[in-house]
Amino acid sequence: MPVQDFAPGLAVQGFTPPLSLQDFKLVAFDMDSTLINIECVDEIADAVGRKEEVAAITEAAMRGEIADYKESLRRRVKLLAGVTVADMEQVYTERLQLNPGAEKLVQACKAAGMTVLLVSGGFTFFTDRIRDRLGIDYTRSNVLEVRSGANCGELTGYLVDQPRGDICDGAEKRKMLLETCARLGISPKQAIAVGDGANDLPMMGEAGLSVAYHAKPAVRAQAMVAIDEGGLDRLLEVVSP
C-alpha cells in the first residue's frame, strides 16, 4: 500500500487517523538516530580516528545492505579498541542530544499509562543514561568490554556476553517486544514500535502501529507512519494523547 501524505513531512498508510494513545499499552523505541541525534558507535570511533570507516558500515547496516547485523556490529566494535571510558563520556556530554520531541512523546505515552521499552543495537553506557533521563521502564542493548589491569578504562574491541546473548539485533528487538507484551498480558497489536533502520523492521512488523522517524527508505516504505520532518512528537498529530 503506498504511503499517503497526511501533512507536510508526515505520511500514513494502512489506517485512517486519528488513533488514540489510549488504544495502546506499550511503546518500543530504537535509540540511535531515533530517540537521540547520533549513532553512538560512529562518534565513539571518532576518538581513535576511525569514524569514517565505522560510519560506512553503520550506514550500510541501517539501509539493510548488510544481511548479518551481528557481524557488522562486531566489525565496528573491533575498531573501537583503545577508546577510553572518558572518550565515551565526552561523546555523551558533548555530542549526544535527545531528538526533538522525544521527551514530549515519551511523557505523553507514560501519561496515557503506556509502558516504555528501549531496544537498541547500541550500548548500555548510553541506553542506561537515556533510560534514567526519560523514565523508561525496560531496556535491552549491548555491553562493551572494558579492559581491566594495565590500560584499564579502555575498550578491548569486544562485547560482553549477556544471558540473552552478546548482541541485540533485529531479531532480538522483535523478541523483546513480544516478550514484553506477554509480560504485560497484552497483544502485540497494542504496541507501537518506533525506529529508523533495517534492524528495527522485525519489531515494527509485529507492532499494531509502526513508526519510521527520519528513516532509511526501506523502513519508511514499510511503516504505517513516516515522520520525515520535525520531531518525534509529530506522532501525536495522528495518535492523539
Side-chain angles (χ1 to χ4, degrees):
M1 182 179 296
V3 178
Q4 301 293 322
D5 290 337
F6 176 74
L10 185 65
V12 302
Q13 64 175 337
F15 73 102
T16 302
L19 300 176
S20 171
L21 287 181
Q22 303 297 328
D23 298 328
F24 299 93
K25 302 299 181 184
L26 172 70
V27 60
F29 289 100
D30 169 53
M31 182 179 72
D32 294 57
S33 298
T34 300
L35 275 181
I36 66 173
N37 65 319
I38 60 172
E39 293 287 337
C40 291
V41 66
D42 298 353
E43 301 306 319
I44 297 170
D46 199 23
V48 284
R50 295 173 178 152
K51 180 175 180 178
E52 185 174 346
E53 184 177 358
V54 170
I57 302 171
T58 300
E59 176 68 13
M62 292 302 99
R63 293 179 69 90
E65 296 165 0
I66 297 177
D68 190 339
Y69 178 85
K70 289 186 176 183
E71 182 56 31
S72 81
L73 185 60
R74 291 190 184 101
R75 285 170 58 197
R76 285 175 283 166
V77 169
K78 192 78 171 177
L79 293 169
L80 303 183
V83 171
T84 68
V85 172
D87 291 329
M88 293 197 294
E89 183 69 36
Q90 190 170 13
V91 169
Y92 180 77
T93 58
E94 296 183 7
R95 303 191 185 190
L96 185 153
Q97 298 176 13
L98 293 176
N99 269 329
E103 188 168 12
K104 181 178 178 180
L105 178 58
V106 170
Q107 288 177 346
C109 290
K110 292 177 72 69
M114 298 171 66
T115 297
V116 183
L117 171 66
L118 173 57
V119 279
S120 173
F123 311 115
T124 53
F125 184 90
F126 301 99
T127 58
D128 287 355
R129 294 168 185 227
I130 298 302
R131 174 198 64 201
D132 296 344
R133 190 166 168 181
L134 293 177
I136 290 170
D137 299 292
Y138 300 107
T139 64
R140 171 75 170 98
S141 57
N142 305 305
V143 182
L144 291 165
E145 184 179 68
V146 179
R147 197 182 312 278
S148 57
N151 299 320
C152 63
E154 288 186 358
L155 300 186
T156 64
Y158 293 93
L159 294 162
V160 176
D161 284 342
Q162 303 176 71
R164 302 185 65 94
D166 64 339
I167 291 178
C168 180
D169 62 354
E172 182 66 13
K173 290 186 177 192
R174 174 184 177 273
K175 186 177 179 182
M176 281 298 300
L177 182 140
L178 293 175
E179 288 185 358
T180 305
C181 288
R183 184 183 301 124
L184 297 173
I186 65 172
S187 164
K189 298 309 176 187
Q190 293 174 284
I192 300 172
V194 188
D196 74 296
N199 63 329
D200 297 314
L201 285 172
M203 73 169 179
M204 291 170 68
E206 295 289 346
L209 185 68
S210 55
V211 182
Y213 180 70
H214 293 246
K216 303 307 181 188
V219 181
R220 185 186 190 278
Q222 296 183 49
M224 297 170 70
V225 178
I227 302 171
D228 299 322
E229 298 176 9
L232 278 163
D233 57 330
R234 291 206 68 189
L235 180 60
L236 301 176
E237 296 178 33
V238 294
V239 187
S240 59

